């Protein structure tokens, strides 16, 4: 790992604030109403303190090129979405969610030039995963909820819980190399089980796509560790056992969700029934692609999309109930219909630029430390997993989705610093 790029005495106010923000971002996101906001606010205050303190500090090392590119993409996303809403007269309400990416970009610069210990991140993930698992079990088993939803929209809760659980699996690599190995391994393991269990109890089928992504990222990590052959035997077996157990356990509701989706697909393509969540999604996607064809470069905007999709429903082009939703339940269809190819390119950058950073950080020719490889693995799981869940939901249409992705990406990128030595196996503090 590179030497510290800040003077801790100089940054005596911002460092604790940034550290607290990193911890709270994961620890409270799924446990309190608007819990995703607490860590983000503390991070923003810490970043402001850092900017003030940096004026009198020694010059810091430059921000790497890919990080600067990510900052530019975040700013572009915010400005294009806000500018488009202003141009179309959609009101201040549409300025809110994209503005989060401006704040997150500012925090990313501060985090990339500070020295926050990664322990804060993993501790927050452990608390969040364990907490959301317990919360979901309570809602489903003791309160008798049909689907666990925590304190937010059900699908988004399932997506974020799954990502938290999968990132905890990446944390096991970091935990293995800590002085208190047993305690950290136990915490990360329970967090992984908690996050994945919460997602299964939510019945969110789109979250299962993130698990598929994680299997692929895990293979890359195993290859970096020289354990690819073992992984190719163990991972499919573990996945099969977990999927079978989830399907057979009636409490999870997985069997019902799988069977319902299968039947709805059959009915839709047979033309016998176009009702139900799966059928409506397919109709929304068809309607969204029709609207994209009408304005492929800049799209129709939020209000234009809603009005024109309803018109398609009223005209019988798509099923009328499906035309009453405000987004397409698919990131790509949604952005193509609302912002056109311009928006789609920016959205793709939001996902792939940080993924490229994590890939490079964990795939250097000289090797990576266990700390860097664990962060890179978690980062790839988060960005690509979030992208995968977007095939059945528009996560950024919810404050929780926009806030979680923007600030967690900033944290993961800001804390990941390329190493210069071979893969280390000694404990790290």
């Amino acid at each position: 790992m590179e030497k510290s790029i800040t003077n801790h005495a100089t940054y005596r106010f911002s460092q604790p604030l940034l550290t607290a923000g990193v911890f709270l971002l994961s620890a409270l996101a799924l446990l309190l109403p608007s819990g995703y906001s607490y860590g983000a606010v503390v991070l923003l205050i810490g970043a402001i303190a850092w900017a003030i303190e940096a004026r009198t500090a020694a010059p810091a090392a430059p921000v790497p090129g890919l990080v600067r590119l990510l900052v530019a993409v975040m700013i572009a996303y915010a400005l294009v979405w806000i500018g488009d809403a202003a141009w179309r007269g959609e009101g201040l309400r549409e300025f809110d969610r994209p503005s989060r990416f401006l704040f997150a970009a500012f925090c990313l610069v501060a985090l990339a030039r500070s020295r926050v210990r990664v322990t804060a991140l993993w501790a927050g993930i452990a608390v969040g995963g364990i907490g959301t698992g317990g919360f979901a079990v309570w809602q489903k088993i003791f309160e008798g909820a049909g689907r666990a939803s925590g304190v937010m929209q059900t699908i988004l809760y399932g997506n974020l819980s799954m990502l938290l659980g999968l990132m905890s699996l990446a944390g096991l690599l970091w935990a293995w190399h800590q002085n208190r190995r047993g305690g950290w391994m136990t915490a990360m393991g329970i967090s992984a089980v908690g996050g994945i269990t919460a997602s299964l109890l939510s019945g969110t089928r789109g979250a299962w796509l993130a698990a598929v992504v994680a299997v692929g990222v895990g293979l890359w990590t195993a290859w970096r560790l020289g354990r690819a052959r073992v992984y190719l035997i163990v991972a499919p077996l573990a996945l099969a056992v977990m999927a079978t157990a989830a399907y057979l356990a009636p409490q999870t509701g997985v069997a019902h969700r799988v069977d319902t989706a299968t039947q709805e697909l059959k009915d839709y393509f047979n033309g016998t029934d176009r009702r139900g969540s799966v059928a409506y999604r397919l109709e929304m996607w068809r309607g969204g692609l029709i609207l994209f064809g009408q304005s492929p470069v800049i799209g129709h905007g939020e209000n234009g999309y809603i009005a024109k999709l309803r018109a398609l429903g009223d005209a019988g082009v798509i099923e009328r109930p499906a035309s009453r939703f405000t987004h397409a339940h698919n990131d790509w269809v949604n952005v193509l219909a609302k912002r056109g190819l311009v928006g789609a390119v920016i959205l793709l950058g939001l996902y792939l630029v940080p993924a490229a950073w994590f890939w490079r950080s964990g795939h250097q020719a000289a090797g990576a430390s266990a700390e860097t490889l664990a962060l890179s693995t978690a980062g790839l799981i988060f960005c690509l997993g979030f992208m995968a869940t977007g095939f059945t939901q528009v996560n950024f249409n919810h404050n929780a989705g926009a806030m979680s992705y923007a600030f967690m990406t900033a944290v993961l990128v800001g804390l990941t610093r390329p190493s210069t030595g071979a893969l280390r196996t000694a404990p790290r503090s």
Side-chain angles (χ1 to χ4, degrees):
M1 298 291 288
E2 64 185 14
K3 294 182 179 179
S4 175
I5 57 176
T6 62
N7 183 323
H8 287 272
T10 303
Y11 294 90
R12 61 185 180 276
F13 294 113
S14 60
Q15 288 294 124
L17 286 169
L18 290 172
T19 300
V22 167
F23 170 77
L24 293 173
L25 190 65
S26 298
L28 300 182
L30 302 177
L31 301 181
L32 298 175
S34 300
Y36 48 84
S37 299
Y38 295 99
V41 169
V42 175
L43 278 172
L44 183 58
I45 295 172
I48 293 172
W50 173 86
I52 294 172
E53 292 175 331
R55 298 173 63 186
T56 58
V63 176
L66 270 177
V67 178
R68 293 199 302 270
L69 178 59
L70 177 56
V71 170
V73 171
M74 285 180 159
I75 293 173
Y77 176 87
L79 295 183
V80 168
W81 261 245
I82 291 173
D84 186 70
W87 175 57
R88 299 180 195 270
E90 293 177 342
L92 295 176
R93 184 176 61 86
E94 295 302 328
F95 293 13
D96 186 38
R97 289 187 299 273
S99 70
R100 306 298 199 266
F101 285 86
L102 286 177
F103 300 135
F106 178 50
C107 292
L108 171 55
V109 173
L111 288 164
R113 305 183 78 175
S114 301
R115 193 59 162 175
V116 176
R117 290 170 60 107
V118 297
T119 305
L121 171 68
W122 296 120
I125 288 175
V127 171
I130 294 170
T132 195
F135 197 178
V137 169
W138 177 267
Q139 285 188 324
K140 182 75 174 181
I141 306 301
F142 296 100
E143 293 185 353
R147 296 171 63 182
S149 59
V151 289
M152 64 178 63
Q153 197 264 356
T154 305
I155 296 175
L156 195 57
Y157 175 75
N159 289 341
L160 293 176
S161 293
M162 177 64 77
L163 290 170
L164 204 59
L166 296 172
M167 290 167 66
S168 299
L169 292 176
L172 290 171
L173 174 59
W174 170 83
W176 180 257
H177 298 286
Q178 300 310 299
N179 291 323
R180 297 179 178 84
R181 177 187 301 176
W184 280 114
M185 290 289 289
T186 300
M188 300 312 300
I190 297 175
S191 176
V193 172
I196 294 172
T197 298
S199 182
L200 292 174
L201 293 178
S202 76
T204 304
R205 290 175 295 220
W208 304 345
L209 297 174
V212 175
V213 169
V215 171
V217 174
L219 177 59
W220 171 77
T221 305
W223 174 67
R224 295 292 298 130
L225 294 169
R227 298 289 187 270
R229 291 183 181 178
V230 175
Y231 181 84
L232 287 172
I233 296 172
V234 175
L237 181 60
L239 186 62
V241 170
M242 184 181 72
T244 302
Y247 185 85
L248 295 177
Q251 294 85 355
T252 65
V254 170
H256 174 70
R257 299 287 288 168
V258 171
D259 296 343
T260 300
T262 302
Q263 188 59 49
E264 287 182 5
L265 280 171
K266 289 180 180 179
D267 292 342
Y268 181 85
F269 288 108
N270 289 336
T272 56
D273 191 354
R274 293 193 169 183
R275 293 172 296 176
S277 63
V278 174
Y280 287 161
R281 275 181 169 82
L282 294 173
E283 287 291 277
M284 283 185 277
W285 299 352
R286 191 160 65 89
L289 290 175
I290 291 173
L291 295 182
F292 166 62
Q294 296 174 358
S295 180
V297 178
I298 61 173
H300 299 279
E302 290 286 338
N303 294 342
Y305 168 85
I306 294 171
K308 291 179 182 297
L309 192 71
R310 289 194 174 196
L312 291 179
D314 293 338
V317 177
I318 65 173
E319 290 294 317
R320 194 170 186 274
S323 71
R324 269 41 190 175
F325 291 88
T326 59
H327 62 76
H329 282 74
N330 180 296
D331 255 340
W332 304 104
V333 174
N334 190 73
V335 74
L336 286 170
K338 293 180 179 179
R339 313 292 179 198
L341 290 171
V342 172
V345 170
I346 295 173
L347 181 63
L348 189 65
L350 276 181
Y351 289 129
L352 295 190
V353 172
W357 167 258
F358 295 126
W359 176 275
R360 193 184 75 171
S361 297
H363 196 271
Q364 295 171 336
S369 69
E371 179 179 290
T372 299
L373 188 57
L375 281 169
S376 298
T377 301
L380 283 170
I381 288 173
F382 182 75
C383 292
L384 298 181
F386 206 101
M387 181 179 177
T389 65
F391 282 99
T392 60
Q393 171 72 339
V394 181
N395 294 308
F396 291 170
N397 259 50
H398 303 271
N399 278 330
M403 292 278 284
S404 297
Y405 185 81
F407 283 91
M408 180 54 74
T409 299
V411 166
L412 290 166
V413 171
L415 267 59
T416 306
R417 301 180 183 88
S419 61
T420 56
L423 184 68
R424 300 176 182 175
T425 57
R428 292 182 58 81
S429 60

